Coordinates of all heavy atoms in Angstrom, one line a residue:
M1 N -77.5 -128.8 -38.5 CA -76.3 -128.0 -38.8 C -75.2 -129.0 -39.3 O -75.0 -130.1 -38.7 CB -75.8 -127.3 -37.6 CG -74.5 -126.7 -37.8 SD -73.6 -125.7 -36.6 CE -74.3 -125.9 -35.0
T2 N -74.5 -128.6 -40.3 CA -73.4 -129.4 -40.9 C -72.1 -128.7 -40.6 O -71.9 -127.5 -40.8 CB -73.6 -129.5 -42.4 OG1 -74.8 -130.1 -42.7 CG2 -72.4 -130.4 -43.0
I3 N -71.2 -129.4 -40.1 CA -69.8 -128.9 -39.8 C -68.9 -129.5 -40.8 O -68.8 -130.7 -41.0 CB -69.3 -129.3 -38.4 CG1 -70.3 -128.7 -37.3 CG2 -67.9 -128.8 -38.2 CD1 -70.0 -129.1 -35.9
T4 N -68.2 -128.6 -41.5 CA -67.3 -129.1 -42.6 C -65.9 -128.8 -42.1 O -65.6 -127.7 -41.7 CB -67.5 -128.3 -43.9 OG1 -68.9 -128.5 -44.3 CG2 -66.6 -128.8 -45.0
Q5 N -65.0 -129.8 -42.2 CA -63.6 -129.7 -41.8 C -62.8 -129.8 -43.0 O -62.9 -130.7 -43.8 CB -63.2 -130.7 -40.8 CG -61.8 -130.6 -40.3 CD -61.4 -131.6 -39.3 OE1 -62.2 -132.5 -39.0 NE2 -60.2 -131.5 -38.8
S6 N -61.9 -128.8 -43.2 CA -61.0 -128.8 -44.4 C -59.7 -129.4 -44.0 O -59.1 -129.0 -43.0 CB -60.9 -127.4 -44.9 OG -59.9 -127.3 -45.9
V7 N -59.2 -130.3 -44.8 CA -57.9 -130.9 -44.6 C -57.0 -130.6 -45.7 O -57.4 -130.9 -46.9 CB -58.1 -132.5 -44.4 CG1 -56.7 -133.1 -44.3 CG2 -59.0 -132.8 -43.3
S8 N -55.9 -130.0 -45.4 CA -55.0 -129.7 -46.5 C -54.0 -130.8 -46.7 O -53.4 -131.3 -45.8 CB -54.1 -128.4 -46.1 OG -53.1 -128.2 -47.1
T9 N -54.0 -131.3 -48.0 CA -53.1 -132.4 -48.3 C -51.9 -131.9 -49.1 O -51.0 -132.7 -49.5 CB -53.9 -133.4 -49.2 OG1 -54.3 -132.8 -50.4 CG2 -55.0 -134.0 -48.4
E10 N -51.8 -130.6 -49.4 CA -50.8 -130.1 -50.3 C -49.4 -130.4 -49.8 O -48.5 -130.8 -50.6 CB -51.0 -128.6 -50.5 CG -52.2 -128.2 -51.3 CD -52.4 -126.7 -51.4 OE1 -51.6 -125.9 -50.9 OE2 -53.5 -126.3 -51.9
W11 N -49.1 -130.2 -48.5 CA -47.7 -130.4 -48.1 C -47.4 -131.9 -48.1 O -46.2 -132.3 -48.4 CB -47.5 -129.8 -46.7 CG -48.1 -130.6 -45.5 CD1 -49.3 -130.5 -45.0 CD2 -47.4 -131.6 -44.7 NE1 -49.5 -131.4 -44.0 CE2 -48.3 -132.1 -43.8 CE3 -46.1 -132.1 -44.8 CZ2 -47.9 -133.0 -42.8 CZ3 -45.7 -133.1 -43.8 CH2 -46.6 -133.5 -42.9
V12 N -48.3 -132.8 -47.9 CA -48.1 -134.2 -48.0 C -47.9 -134.6 -49.4 O -47.0 -135.4 -49.7 CB -49.3 -135.0 -47.3 CG1 -49.1 -136.5 -47.6 CG2 -49.3 -134.7 -45.8
E13 N -48.7 -134.1 -50.3 CA -48.5 -134.4 -51.7 C -47.2 -133.9 -52.3 O -46.7 -134.5 -53.2 CB -49.7 -133.8 -52.5 CG -51.0 -134.5 -52.2 CD -52.2 -133.7 -52.8 OE1 -52.1 -132.6 -53.2 OE2 -53.3 -134.3 -52.8
A14 N -46.7 -132.8 -51.8 CA -45.4 -132.2 -52.3 C -44.2 -133.0 -51.9 O -43.1 -132.8 -52.4 CB -45.3 -130.8 -51.8
L15 N -44.3 -133.9 -50.9 CA -43.2 -134.7 -50.4 C -42.7 -135.6 -51.5 O -43.5 -136.2 -52.2 CB -43.5 -135.4 -49.2 CG -43.8 -134.5 -48.0 CD1 -44.4 -135.4 -46.8 CD2 -42.6 -133.8 -47.5
P16 N -41.4 -135.9 -51.6 CA -40.9 -136.8 -52.6 C -41.1 -138.3 -52.2 O -41.3 -138.6 -51.0 CB -39.4 -136.5 -52.6 CG -39.1 -135.9 -51.3 CD -40.3 -135.2 -50.8
I17 N -41.1 -139.1 -53.2 CA -41.2 -140.6 -53.0 C -40.0 -141.0 -52.1 O -38.9 -140.5 -52.2 CB -41.1 -141.3 -54.3 CG1 -42.4 -141.0 -55.1 CG2 -41.0 -142.8 -54.1 CD1 -42.4 -141.6 -56.5
G18 N -40.3 -141.8 -51.1 CA -39.3 -142.3 -50.2 C -39.4 -141.6 -48.8 O -38.8 -142.0 -47.9
T19 N -40.2 -140.5 -48.8 CA -40.4 -139.8 -47.5 C -41.1 -140.6 -46.5 O -42.0 -141.4 -46.8 CB -41.2 -138.5 -47.7 OG1 -40.5 -137.7 -48.7 CG2 -41.4 -137.7 -46.4
A20 N -40.6 -140.5 -45.2 CA -41.2 -141.3 -44.1 C -42.0 -140.3 -43.2 O -41.4 -139.2 -42.8 CB -40.2 -142.0 -43.3
L21 N -43.2 -140.7 -42.8 CA -44.0 -139.9 -41.8 C -44.4 -140.8 -40.7 O -44.8 -142.0 -40.9 CB -45.2 -139.3 -42.5 CG -45.0 -138.3 -43.6 CD1 -46.4 -137.9 -44.2 CD2 -44.3 -137.1 -43.1
R22 N -44.4 -140.3 -39.5 CA -45.0 -141.0 -38.4 C -46.5 -140.5 -38.3 O -46.8 -139.4 -38.4 CB -44.3 -140.7 -37.1 CG -44.9 -141.5 -35.9 CD -44.3 -141.0 -34.6 NE -44.8 -139.7 -34.2 CZ -44.2 -138.7 -33.7 NH1 -42.9 -138.8 -33.5 NH2 -44.8 -137.6 -33.4
C23 N -47.4 -141.5 -38.3 CA -48.8 -141.2 -38.3 C -49.6 -141.9 -37.1 O -49.1 -142.9 -36.6 CB -49.5 -141.6 -39.6 SG -48.7 -140.8 -41.0
T24 N -50.8 -141.4 -36.9 CA -51.6 -142.1 -35.9 C -52.7 -142.8 -36.6 O -53.5 -142.2 -37.3 CB -52.2 -141.0 -34.9 OG1 -51.2 -140.3 -34.3 CG2 -53.0 -141.7 -33.8
A25 N -52.8 -144.1 -36.5 CA -53.8 -144.9 -37.1 C -55.0 -145.2 -36.2 O -55.0 -144.6 -35.1 CB -53.2 -146.2 -37.6
A26 N -55.9 -146.0 -36.6 CA -57.0 -146.4 -35.8 C -56.6 -146.9 -34.4 O -55.5 -147.5 -34.2 CB -57.9 -147.4 -36.5
H27 N -57.4 -146.6 -33.4 CA -57.2 -147.0 -32.0 C -55.9 -146.4 -31.5 O -55.2 -147.0 -30.6 CB -57.1 -148.6 -31.9 CG -58.3 -149.2 -32.5 ND1 -59.6 -149.1 -31.9 CD2 -58.5 -150.0 -33.6 CE1 -60.5 -149.7 -32.6 NE2 -59.8 -150.3 -33.7
N28 N -55.5 -145.2 -32.0 CA -54.4 -144.5 -31.5 C -53.0 -145.2 -31.6 O -52.1 -145.0 -30.9 CB -54.6 -144.1 -30.0 CG -54.3 -142.6 -29.8 OD1 -54.2 -141.9 -30.7 ND2 -54.3 -142.3 -28.5
R29 N -52.9 -146.1 -32.6 CA -51.7 -146.8 -32.9 C -50.7 -145.9 -33.7 O -51.2 -145.2 -34.6 CB -51.9 -148.1 -33.7 CG -52.6 -149.1 -32.9 CD -52.9 -150.4 -33.7 NE -53.9 -150.0 -34.8 CZ -53.5 -150.1 -36.1 NH1 -52.3 -150.5 -36.5 NH2 -54.4 -149.7 -37.0
T30 N -49.5 -145.9 -33.4 CA -48.5 -145.2 -34.2 C -48.0 -146.1 -35.3 O -47.6 -147.3 -35.1 CB -47.3 -144.8 -33.3 OG1 -47.8 -143.9 -32.3 CG2 -46.2 -144.1 -34.2
V31 N -48.0 -145.6 -36.6 CA -47.5 -146.4 -37.7 C -46.5 -145.5 -38.5 O -46.5 -144.3 -38.4 CB -48.6 -146.8 -38.6 CG1 -49.5 -147.8 -37.9 CG2 -49.4 -145.7 -39.2
L32 N -45.7 -146.1 -39.3 CA -44.8 -145.5 -40.2 C -45.4 -145.5 -41.6 O -45.9 -146.6 -42.0 CB -43.4 -146.2 -40.2 CG -42.4 -145.7 -41.2 CD1 -41.9 -144.3 -40.8 CD2 -41.2 -146.6 -41.3
A33 N -45.4 -144.4 -42.3 CA -45.9 -144.4 -43.7 C -44.8 -143.9 -44.6 O -44.1 -142.9 -44.3 CB -47.1 -143.4 -43.8
I34 N -44.6 -144.6 -45.7 CA -43.6 -144.3 -46.6 C -44.3 -144.0 -48.0 O -45.1 -144.7 -48.4 CB -42.6 -145.5 -46.9 CG1 -42.0 -146.0 -45.6 CG2 -41.5 -145.1 -47.9 CD1 -40.9 -145.3 -45.1
K35 N -43.9 -142.8 -48.6 CA -44.5 -142.5 -49.8 C -43.9 -143.3 -50.9 O -42.6 -143.3 -51.1 CB -44.2 -141.0 -50.1 CG -45.0 -140.5 -51.4 CD -44.9 -139.0 -51.5 CE -45.8 -138.6 -52.7 NZ -45.8 -137.1 -52.8
T36 N -44.7 -144.1 -51.6 CA -44.2 -145.1 -52.6 C -44.6 -144.7 -54.0 O -44.1 -145.3 -55.0 CB -44.7 -146.5 -52.3 OG1 -46.2 -146.5 -52.3 CG2 -44.2 -147.0 -51.0
G37 N -45.5 -143.7 -54.2 CA -45.9 -143.3 -55.5 C -46.5 -141.9 -55.5 O -46.9 -141.4 -54.5
N38 N -46.5 -141.3 -56.7 CA -47.1 -139.9 -56.7 C -48.0 -139.9 -58.0 O -48.2 -140.9 -58.7 CB -46.0 -138.8 -56.8 CG -45.1 -138.9 -58.0 OD1 -45.5 -139.5 -59.0 ND2 -43.9 -138.4 -57.8
H39 N -48.6 -138.7 -58.2 CA -49.6 -138.5 -59.2 C -49.0 -138.8 -60.6 O -49.7 -139.2 -61.5 CB -50.2 -137.2 -59.2 CG -49.2 -136.0 -59.5 ND1 -48.4 -135.6 -58.5 CD2 -48.9 -135.4 -60.6 CE1 -47.6 -134.6 -59.0 NE2 -47.9 -134.5 -60.3
Q40 N -47.7 -138.7 -60.7 CA -47.0 -138.9 -62.0 C -46.8 -140.4 -62.3 O -46.9 -140.9 -63.4 CB -45.7 -138.2 -62.1 CG -45.8 -136.7 -62.0 CD -44.5 -136.0 -61.8 OE1 -43.5 -136.6 -61.3 NE2 -44.4 -134.8 -62.2
T41 N -46.6 -141.2 -61.2 CA -46.4 -142.6 -61.3 C -47.7 -143.5 -61.2 O -47.8 -144.6 -61.8 CB -45.3 -143.2 -60.3 OG1 -45.8 -142.9 -59.0 CG2 -44.0 -142.5 -60.6
H42 N -48.6 -143.0 -60.4 CA -49.8 -143.8 -60.1 C -51.1 -143.0 -60.3 O -52.2 -143.6 -60.1 CB -49.8 -144.3 -58.6 CG -48.8 -145.3 -58.4 ND1 -47.5 -145.0 -58.1 CD2 -48.8 -146.7 -58.4 CE1 -46.8 -146.2 -57.9 NE2 -47.6 -147.2 -58.1
G43 N -51.1 -141.8 -60.7 CA -52.3 -141.0 -60.9 C -52.8 -140.4 -59.6 O -53.7 -139.6 -59.6
R44 N -52.1 -140.7 -58.5 CA -52.4 -140.1 -57.2 C -51.3 -140.5 -56.3 O -50.5 -141.4 -56.6 CB -53.7 -140.7 -56.6 CG -53.7 -142.2 -56.4 CD -55.1 -142.7 -56.0 NE -55.0 -144.1 -56.0 CZ -55.7 -144.9 -55.2 NH1 -56.5 -144.4 -54.3 NH2 -55.6 -146.2 -55.2
D45 N -51.2 -139.8 -55.1 CA -50.2 -140.1 -54.2 C -50.5 -141.4 -53.5 O -51.6 -141.7 -53.1 CB -50.0 -139.0 -53.2 CG -49.3 -137.8 -53.7 OD1 -48.8 -137.9 -54.9 OD2 -49.2 -136.8 -53.0
I46 N -49.5 -142.3 -53.3 CA -49.7 -143.6 -52.7 C -48.7 -143.7 -51.5 O -47.5 -143.4 -51.7 CB -49.4 -144.8 -53.7 CG1 -50.3 -144.7 -54.9 CG2 -49.5 -146.1 -53.0 CD1 -51.8 -144.9 -54.6
W47 N -49.2 -144.1 -50.4 CA -48.4 -144.3 -49.2 C -48.6 -145.8 -48.7 O -49.7 -146.3 -48.7 CB -48.8 -143.4 -48.1 CG -48.5 -141.9 -48.4 CD1 -49.2 -141.1 -49.2 CD2 -47.4 -141.2 -47.9 NE1 -48.7 -139.9 -49.3 CE2 -47.6 -139.9 -48.5 CE3 -46.4 -141.4 -47.1 CZ2 -46.6 -138.9 -48.3 CZ3 -45.5 -140.4 -46.8 CH2 -45.6 -139.2 -47.4
Q48 N -47.5 -146.4 -48.3 CA -47.6 -147.7 -47.7 C -47.3 -147.6 -46.2 O -46.3 -146.9 -45.8 CB -46.5 -148.6 -48.3 CG -46.6 -150.1 -47.9 CD -47.9 -150.8 -48.4 OE1 -48.3 -150.6 -49.6 NE2 -48.5 -151.5 -47.6
T49 N -48.1 -148.2 -45.3 CA -47.9 -148.1 -43.9 C -47.4 -149.4 -43.3 O -47.6 -150.5 -43.9 CB -49.2 -147.7 -43.2 OG1 -50.1 -148.7 -43.3 CG2 -49.8 -146.4 -43.8
T50 N -46.8 -149.3 -42.1 CA -46.3 -150.5 -41.4 C -47.4 -151.4 -40.9 O -47.1 -152.6 -40.6 CB -45.4 -150.1 -40.3 OG1 -46.1 -149.2 -39.4 CG2 -44.1 -149.5 -40.8
D51 N -48.7 -151.0 -41.0 CA -49.7 -151.9 -40.6 C -50.3 -152.6 -41.8 O -51.3 -153.3 -41.8 CB -50.8 -151.2 -39.8 CG -51.6 -150.2 -40.5 OD1 -51.2 -149.8 -41.6 OD2 -52.5 -149.6 -39.9
G52 N -49.6 -152.5 -43.0 CA -50.0 -153.2 -44.2 C -51.0 -152.4 -45.1 O -51.4 -153.0 -46.2
A53 N -51.4 -151.2 -44.8 CA -52.4 -150.5 -45.6 C -51.7 -149.7 -46.7 O -50.6 -149.2 -46.5 CB -53.2 -149.6 -44.7
T54 N -52.3 -149.6 -47.8 CA -51.9 -148.7 -48.9 C -53.0 -147.6 -49.0 O -54.1 -147.9 -49.1 CB -51.8 -149.5 -50.3 OG1 -50.9 -150.6 -50.1 CG2 -51.4 -148.6 -51.4
V55 N -52.5 -146.4 -48.8 CA -53.5 -145.3 -48.6 C -53.1 -144.1 -49.4 O -52.0 -144.0 -50.0 CB -53.6 -144.9 -47.1 CG1 -54.1 -146.0 -46.3 CG2 -52.3 -144.4 -46.6
T56 N -54.0 -143.1 -49.5 CA -53.7 -141.9 -50.3 C -53.2 -140.8 -49.4 O -53.2 -140.9 -48.2 CB -55.0 -141.4 -51.0 OG1 -56.0 -141.1 -50.0 CG2 -55.6 -142.5 -51.9
A57 N -52.9 -139.7 -50.0 CA -52.4 -138.5 -49.3 C -53.5 -138.0 -48.3 O -53.1 -137.5 -47.2 CB -52.0 -137.4 -50.2
F58 N -54.7 -138.1 -48.7 CA -55.8 -137.6 -47.8 C -55.8 -138.4 -46.5 O -55.9 -137.8 -45.4 CB -57.2 -137.7 -48.5 CG -58.3 -137.2 -47.5 CD1 -58.5 -135.9 -47.3 CD2 -59.0 -138.2 -46.9 CE1 -59.5 -135.5 -46.4 CE2 -60.0 -137.8 -46.0 CZ -60.3 -136.4 -45.8
T59 N -55.7 -139.7 -46.6 CA -55.7 -140.5 -45.4 C -54.5 -140.2 -44.5 O -54.6 -140.1 -43.3 CB -55.7 -142.0 -45.8 OG1 -56.8 -142.3 -46.6 CG2 -55.7 -142.9 -44.6
I60 N -53.4 -140.0 -45.1 CA -52.2 -139.6 -44.4 C -52.4 -138.2 -43.7 O -52.0 -138.0 -42.5 CB -50.9 -139.6 -45.3 CG1 -50.6 -141.0 -45.8 CG2 -49.7 -139.0 -44.5 CD1 -50.3 -142.0 -44.7
S61 N -53.0 -137.3 -44.4 CA -53.2 -135.9 -43.9 C -54.0 -135.8 -42.7 O -53.9 -135.0 -41.8 CB -53.7 -135.0 -45.0 OG -52.8 -134.9 -46.1
I62 N -55.0 -136.8 -42.6 CA -55.9 -136.7 -41.4 C -55.4 -137.6 -40.2 O -56.0 -137.7 -39.2 CB -57.3 -137.1 -41.8 CG1 -57.4 -138.6 -42.3 CG2 -57.9 -136.2 -42.8 CD1 -58.8 -139.1 -42.5
A63 N -54.2 -138.2 -40.4 CA -53.6 -139.1 -39.4 C -52.5 -138.4 -38.6 O -51.6 -139.1 -38.1 CB -53.1 -140.3 -40.1
N64 N -52.6 -137.1 -38.4 CA -51.6 -136.4 -37.6 C -50.2 -136.7 -38.0 O -49.3 -137.1 -37.2 CB -51.8 -136.7 -36.1 CG -53.1 -136.4 -35.6 OD1 -53.7 -135.3 -35.9 ND2 -53.7 -137.3 -34.9
P65 N -49.8 -136.5 -39.3 CA -48.5 -136.8 -39.8 C -47.4 -136.0 -39.2 O -47.6 -134.8 -39.1 CB -48.6 -136.7 -41.3 CG -49.7 -135.6 -41.5 CD -50.6 -135.8 -40.3
V66 N -46.3 -136.6 -39.0 CA -45.1 -135.9 -38.5 C -43.9 -136.3 -39.4 O -43.6 -137.5 -39.5 CB -44.8 -136.2 -37.0 CG1 -43.5 -135.6 -36.6 CG2 -45.9 -135.8 -36.1
L67 N -43.3 -135.4 -40.0 CA -42.1 -135.7 -40.9 C -41.0 -136.2 -40.1 O -40.6 -135.6 -39.1 CB -41.7 -134.4 -41.7 CG -40.6 -134.6 -42.7 CD1 -41.0 -135.6 -43.8 CD2 -40.3 -133.2 -43.3
L68 N -40.4 -137.3 -40.5 CA -39.2 -137.9 -39.8 C -38.0 -137.3 -40.5 O -37.9 -137.4 -41.7 CB -39.3 -139.4 -39.8 CG -40.5 -140.0 -39.2 CD1 -40.4 -141.5 -39.3 CD2 -40.5 -139.7 -37.7
E69 N -37.0 -136.9 -39.7 CA -35.8 -136.4 -40.3 C -34.9 -137.5 -40.6 O -34.8 -138.5 -40.0 CB -35.1 -135.4 -39.3 CG -35.9 -134.2 -39.0 CD -35.2 -133.3 -38.1 OE1 -34.0 -133.2 -38.1 OE2 -35.9 -132.6 -37.3
T70 N -34.1 -137.3 -41.7 CA -33.1 -138.3 -42.1 C -31.8 -137.9 -41.5 O -31.5 -136.7 -41.3 CB -33.0 -138.4 -43.6 OG1 -32.6 -137.1 -44.1 CG2 -34.2 -138.8 -44.3
V71 N -31.0 -138.9 -41.2 CA -29.7 -138.7 -40.6 C -28.6 -139.0 -41.6 O -28.7 -140.1 -42.2 CB -29.5 -139.5 -39.3 CG1 -28.1 -139.3 -38.7 CG2 -30.5 -139.1 -38.3
G72 N -27.7 -138.1 -41.9 CA -26.7 -138.4 -42.9 C -25.7 -139.5 -42.4 O -25.6 -139.9 -41.3
A73 N -25.0 -140.0 -43.4 CA -24.1 -141.1 -43.1 C -23.0 -140.7 -42.1 O -22.4 -141.6 -41.4 CB -23.4 -141.6 -44.4
G74 N -22.6 -139.4 -42.1 CA -21.6 -139.0 -41.2 C -22.0 -138.7 -39.8 O -21.2 -138.3 -38.9
A75 N -23.3 -138.8 -39.5 CA -23.8 -138.5 -38.2 C -23.6 -139.5 -37.2 O -23.5 -140.7 -37.5 CB -25.3 -138.1 -38.3

């Protein structure tokens, strides 16, 4: 029997460059991922993580991403 799991990357791909996400990396480590490129600039979405990896939207989507809120200058 084969179990297929579908991962939706659409919401991650729709985020603008510069967006920050908190993700869970290997060994349950928490990392920050910043979107540094998209399909228009690189042919695919590119994310840079604080552990030094450059990854795609799919990798981010399976890493339990949580959108980090930005705080305005007046906050």
Side-chain angles (χ1 to χ4, degrees):
M1 173 178 15
T2 302
I3 299 173
T4 304
Q5 182 177 3
S6 175
V7 175
S8 174
T9 62
E10 292 176 4
W11 77 273
V12 172
E13 291 170 349
L15 295 169
I17 292 174
T19 299
L21 297 175
R22 184 186 73 221
C23 299
T24 304
H27 307 293
N28 230 9
R29 291 177 297 114
T30 298
V31 296
L32 175 68
I34 307 278
K35 187 171 186 178
T36 57
N38 61 25
H39 65 279
Q40 295 168 339
T41 58
H42 289 87
R44 61 185 173 148
D45 284 356
I46 302 294
W47 293 79
Q48 188 68 41
T49 67
T50 52
D51 65 353
T54 300
V55 298
T56 64
F58 177 77
T59 303
I60 295 299
S61 295
I62 62 173
N64 303 315
V66 175
L67 183 62
L68 300 177
E69 295 183 33
T70 57
V71 177

